Amino acid sequence: MMASYLMGVSLVLMLILLSGLVRVMSGPTSTDRMLASQLFGTAGVAILMLLAVVQQQAALLNAALVLALLSPLIVITFVALAGRNP
């Protein structure tokens, strides 16, 4: 029962990712695109953590933690590059 609920939540998160992909493709500014790509990181971490619980695999949890650590680096890089090019 709980596993099917968690899989349903994962599917909802994947639909959110698809809507973020539309925003990345059609975002009017690079900032909009960057925020949508941050959505990929956040939703990706959530999906991996849910799947780690459902499938009882610690490797998925480790991958989620690595993704969570790399996501802020992307924002820092974007801000540094955006500040350099007015």
Side-chain angles (χ1 to χ4, degrees):
M1 177 71 176
M2 186 64 151
S4 62
Y5 172 73
L6 292 176
M7 290 300 283
V9 171
S10 294
L11 289 174
V12 170
L13 286 169
M14 286 189 187
L15 290 174
I16 291 171
L17 278 177
L18 287 174
S19 67
L21 182 62
V22 170
R23 188 61 175 176
V24 166
M25 298 304 240
S26 66
T29 66
S30 60
T31 305
D32 291 331
R33 290 185 174 110
M34 184 63 218
L35 288 175
S37 68
Q38 278 301 110
L39 173 69
F40 291 146
T42 304
V45 167
I47 289 170
L48 284 172
M49 291 179 78
L50 285 172
L51 290 176
V53 170
V54 169
Q55 296 180 359
Q56 296 178 351
Q57 291 189 4
L60 291 174
L61 187 59
N62 291 338
L65 292 174
V66 169
L67 184 60
L69 289 173
L70 290 176
S71 186
L73 294 176
I74 296 169
V75 174
I76 292 168
T77 304
F78 174 76
V79 170
L81 291 175
R84 202 180 308 164
N85 297 327

